[in-house]
Amino acid sequence: LSDQMAISIINALLYDELDHRVQERTSELSRANDNLMQEVSERKRAESAIKDSEKLLSDIINYLPDATLVIDREGKVIAWNQAIEEMTDVKAEDILGKGNYEYSLPFYGIRRPMMIDLVFGNDEEIEKQYLDIRKEGDVLVTETNILLKNKNCVIWAKASPLYDSIGKIVGAIESFRDISDRKQMESELLQAKNAAEEAHRVAEAAN
């Protein structure tokens, strides 16, 4: 009887120990599951916040008055606003997501690097394609002549990098503005000024 009692006691102790361990493990798994669910929830909120930010940025770019394009580090077009649609007659749906210098085709008729590509690093071959590029910090500015819609246009362009939260360049943005009318007006004013000065000299000489 004493042996049986001893065995019963041992079995009871083992059962209690096993039950305690099972409860501890269940509690650990429950906490781990709660932590996992919290991480999943936080990740979903972060992803939602990122999507909201991207949507806001896209909306802002889309309604900028200047023709604007954005590329990522791989050179793929990730934004092509309404103004650049009007300037080039190329719809955003036909160019978004495309790389291999697709964005240069509406401007030059060939696939080639543009000033926006200089944002990622200096390249003498690209720089040679522009008469003058001014650097204002990490911003590049130029004026260039481009044939758009069978019309020679003077285009002012400005390109700059896009950074992530830790300061790493993740893309680039370039804006364009047709300043042909302004340049034509400046030329006409200069011609009128020169003509007036010449007339004044002739009048003085006659006197």
Side-chain angles (χ1 to χ4, degrees), residues 163-177:
Y163 299 94
D164 63 12
S165 59
I166 60 173
K168 179 181 177 182
I169 295 178
V170 293
I173 182 170
E174 183 167 2
S175 295
F176 309 86
R177 186 181 303 164

Side-chain angles (χ1 to χ4, degrees), residues 76-92:
K76 293 181 180 179
V77 179
I78 58 176
W80 186 268
N81 74 351
Q82 291 181 356
I84 203 170
E85 285 184 337
E86 295 173 3
M87 176 179 281
T88 64
D89 280 343
V90 175
K91 296 296 182 183

Side-chain angles (χ1 to χ4, degrees), residues 69-76 78 116 119-120 159-164 168-174:
L69 76 93
V70 181
I71 60 174
D72 61 17
R73 282 305 301 257
E74 285 70 47
K76 293 181 180 179
I78 58 176
I116 193 172
V119 167
F120 302 125
S160 62
L162 296 175
Y163 299 94
D164 63 12
K168 179 181 177 182
I169 295 178
V170 293
I173 182 170
E174 183 167 2

Side-chain angles (χ1 to χ4, degrees), residues 11-149:
N11 287 338
L13 291 173
L14 289 175
Y15 178 82
D16 289 342
E17 177 64 20
L18 179 60
D19 184 60
H20 177 68
R21 290 186 180 182
V22 168
Q23 289 181 11
E24 282 188 341
R25 184 57 178 161
T26 300
S27 179
E28 290 175 359
L29 290 174
S30 179
R31 287 195 298 271
N33 184 63
D34 290 342
N35 291 336
L36 178 60
M37 294 299 294
Q38 183 175 354
E39 289 179 6
V40 170
S41 179
E42 290 175 353
R43 181 172 298 179
K44 286 183 178 180
R45 284 197 296 269
E47 290 174 351
S48 178
I50 291 173
K51 287 181 180 179
D52 290 343
S53 296
E54 290 176 345
K55 174 82 166 50
L56 177 61
L57 178 60
S58 177
D59 288 343
I60 291 172
I61 291 173
N62 199 41
Y63 291 102
L64 288 175
D66 289 329
T68 303
L69 76 93
V70 181
I71 60 174
D72 61 17
R73 282 305 301 257
E74 285 70 47
K76 293 181 180 179
V77 179
I78 58 176
W80 186 268
N81 74 351
Q82 291 181 356
I84 203 170
E85 285 184 337
E86 295 173 3
M87 176 179 281
T88 64
D89 280 343
V90 175
K91 296 296 182 183
E93 61 194 44
D94 296 325
I95 197 168
L96 289 177
K98 294 184 178 179
N100 192 26
Y101 305 117
E102 185 81 14
Y103 46 85
S104 69
L105 291 175
F107 294 96
Y108 300 103
I110 60 173
R111 298 180 186 276
R112 47 155 280 190
M114 291 171 47
M115 189 172 68
I116 193 172
D117 297 285
L118 287 174
V119 167
F120 302 125
N122 295 329
D123 189 315
E124 291 184 0
E125 292 303 315
I126 301 177
E127 292 179 7
K128 288 178 182 178
Q129 297 172 9
Y130 297 89
L131 293 176
D132 177 57
I133 295 179
R134 301 190 309 278
K135 294 184 178 181
E136 303 172 358
D138 58 2
V139 177
L140 306 175
V141 181
T142 192
E143 290 181 9
T144 186
N145 294 305
I146 298 177
L147 183 66
L148 287 173
K149 300 179 181 179

